[in-house]
Amino acid sequence: MSSHRRGGLFRSLIAGTAIAAVAGIAAAQADSITVYTSYEEDELAAFLERMEEDLPDLEVNVLRLSTGDLHARILAEAGNPQHDVIWGWAVTSMVDPRIQDMLEPYEPANIDRVPERFRDPDGRWFAVTGYMGAFCVNNMVLEDKGLPMPSSWEDLLDPVYEGEIVMPNPASSGTGYLQIASLLQMKGEEEGWEFLRALDKNMAQYIKSGSRPCNVASQGEYAIGASYALRAIKNINEGYPITMVIPSEGAGNELEAHGLMASSDNKDAAKRFLDWTLSDAAVDEYYNWKEIVTVSGGSIPQNFLDAGLPEDIGSVMYDMDFAWSAENRDRILEQWQSEFESE
C-alpha cells in the first residue's frame, strides 16, 4: 500500500490485499470513506486533488481496479461490502441486478445538471463521464513498414496488419468489453463473432489494461493499439507520433457512474462526496480529462479538438444498448475466453 499527504489530508491508493484494514479505519471515522473506482490513475489523482480543495476535512481511501476486476471484487464482497461509494465505474457493470441490489437511491445536489437518460430511474446511480473507443496508430511504424492508415474496424482485417495490432482483454478491461460489445451490436452476433475470429488472426496480443494498447503503440512496439480516445489525445499531447482514428463504423462507448452503497456506515460523508461530484469544480476537472461529459457547464478543450476529437461527439458515437451489454456480459466473456484466451 502506498500513501501520502497532500493539503493535510491522508489518502491511500489501496492494493487489494490492504482493503480490509483501510475499511476498518473508514468505519471508525465519520468523515472518512472508502471508494471503489475504475478511473485511470492520472485522472483519478487530478479529481482527488481538486476535491481536497473543496472538502479538506474528508478523508477518501481509494481502491482502483480495472472495470472487470472491480466487478468481480464487488460481487465477491457482496456479503460484507468494504466500501461506501462506487465512483466512475462502467454503467454496463453498474446495471447488473446483483450490483443494483447493493445500492441505495440518492439524488445528490445539482442532480438536474445530469440529463435523465444518464441516470437510473430509481436514483441508484448517475453517470457524469464516459469514454469511447479509438485506435492509436503509430505514424512512424506505418511509414517504416509501408502500412496504410486504417479508418475502420473492417480495415484491420487486412493481412498486412498481421502481428501489428493489440487490444484490451474484455474480461478485465471495460474498454475491451465495450469494443467487443459494440462490434456484436453493430454486426449482429453471428457476423460479429465471425469478424472477431478474423480479427484475431492479425492480433499480436490482448492486454489487460484499456490504456496500455495505446501506450505500447505510441512507443512503437506495434502499429495499432485499439484503446480509447482520451488516452490517444493525451499521448498525442505528450508528443508521441500517433494518429487517433475513430472507426468509421462508430465508436463503441461506455458511461461512468457513481452510486451510494446501502451498506455504508458513513452515509453522511459519502453523500457529501457524491454532492461534490456534481459541483462546478468537479465538472471543470471532468472536461480536462474526459472525452464524454454528461454534466452541463463546460466545454471541450482545444487540445482535444486539435488531436482529432470532433466537437459533436455524438456524431461519431455508436448508439450503445447498455442493458444488452450488461445482460449478456457473462455469456459473451465466456465465449470470448473460450475462443481467444485458450490459444
Side-chain angles (χ1 to χ4, degrees):
M1 179 173 67
S2 64
S3 61
H4 60 282
R5 286 183 177 272
R6 183 182 295 163
L9 175 66
F10 173 81
R11 197 174 67 222
S12 301
L13 295 177
I14 309 163
T17 55
I19 187 65
V22 179
I25 295 171
Q29 301 181 18
D31 290 320
S32 176
I33 61 172
T34 297
V35 172
Y36 283 6
T37 185
S38 288
Y39 276 137
E40 292 292 326
E41 291 182 6
D42 49 1
E43 59 197 34
L44 170 60
F47 296 159
L48 287 172
E49 184 171 3
R50 192 68 176 261
M51 186 218 69
E52 289 176 9
E53 297 175 6
D54 295 337
L55 302 176
D57 60 331
L58 180 61
E59 180 182 303
V60 178
N61 300 292
V62 177
L63 172 66
R64 191 264 166 203
L65 292 173
S66 63
T67 301
D69 289 349
L70 189 55
H71 192 268
R73 175 114 191 181
I74 293 174
L75 291 180
E77 294 177 350
N80 184 29
Q82 299 293 304
H83 57 298
D84 304 288
V85 170
I86 298 175
W87 182 37
W89 194 40
V91 165
T92 300
S93 293
M94 194 78 93
V95 299
D96 182 329
R98 297 168 295 180
I99 303 295
Q100 296 218 79
D101 284 346
M102 302 182 204
L103 299 173
E104 179 174 307
Y106 177 62
E107 292 192 348
N110 296 316
I111 189 62
D112 289 342
R113 297 181 75 170
V114 181
E116 288 188 6
R117 66 182 180 277
F118 301 127
R119 300 185 238 157
D120 174 54
D122 298 320
R124 289 168 293 188
W125 56 262
F126 57 99
V128 300
T129 57
Y131 50 94
M132 65 182 187
F135 306 151
C136 298
V137 184
N138 190 296
N139 305 318
M140 295 179 66
V141 173
L142 292 192
E143 183 177 353
D144 290 346
K145 298 188 176 183
L147 301 175
M149 177 68 70
S151 63
S152 66
W153 281 105
E154 202 67 33
D155 286 349
L156 300 189
L157 299 187
D158 190 326
V160 299
Y161 296 121
E162 183 177 356
E164 290 292 344
I165 306 171
V166 288
M167 70 181 293
N169 185 324
S172 61
S173 164
T175 302
Y177 183 65
L178 77 82
Q179 291 170 346
I180 300 299
S182 65
L183 286 166
L184 294 176
Q185 290 181 30
M186 289 173 191
K187 296 176 177 295
E189 286 207 51
E190 183 175 352
E191 184 181 341
W193 284 113
E194 286 300 320
F195 177 86
L196 291 172
R197 294 181 191 108
L199 181 64
D200 184 65
K201 296 176 182 178
N202 284 347
M203 197 64 55
Q205 62 174 303
Y206 299 99
I207 300 178
K208 188 173 185 178
S209 162
S211 58
R212 193 155 182 269
C214 186
N215 291 338
V216 295
S218 297
Q219 293 159 7
E221 296 180 39
Y222 302 96
I224 302 166
S227 185
Y228 60 96
L230 197 280
R231 186 70 268 162
I233 292 166
K234 295 297 182 185
N235 287 10
I236 289 170
N237 290 335
E238 290 173 12
Y240 287 98
I242 63 169
T243 295
M244 177 175 67
V245 174
I246 299 173
S248 60
E249 297 95 338
N253 53 88
E254 179 65 90
L255 298 176
E256 297 162 316
H258 311 339
L260 173 67
M261 293 296 292
S263 58
S264 171
D265 292 326
N266 309 295
K267 285 181 182 170
D268 287 345
K271 290 176 180 179
R272 287 181 63 210
F273 177 82
L274 289 169
D275 287 350
W276 177 84
T277 67
L278 293 180
S279 67
D280 288 342
V283 173
D284 287 345
E285 202 62 42
Y286 298 150
Y287 276 95
N288 289 334
W289 288 92
K290 307 302 294 190
E291 63 264 46
I292 300 172
V293 181
T294 70
V295 192
S296 60
S299 58
I300 299 174
Q302 185 60 45
N303 63 327
F304 285 26
L305 301 174
D306 293 343
L309 192 72
E311 196 153 4
D312 180 8
I313 298 295
S315 66
V316 298
M317 290 169 58
Y318 180 74
D319 187 12
M320 298 288 292
D321 185 339
F322 295 114
W324 183 93
S325 296
E327 290 165 7
N328 293 282
R329 183 177 186 275
D330 290 346
R331 176 179 62 81
I332 290 170
L333 292 181
E334 182 178 356
Q335 181 169 345
W336 189 90
Q337 289 174 308
S338 70
E339 292 203 36
F340 304 117
E341 280 197 343
S342 59
E343 298 175 357

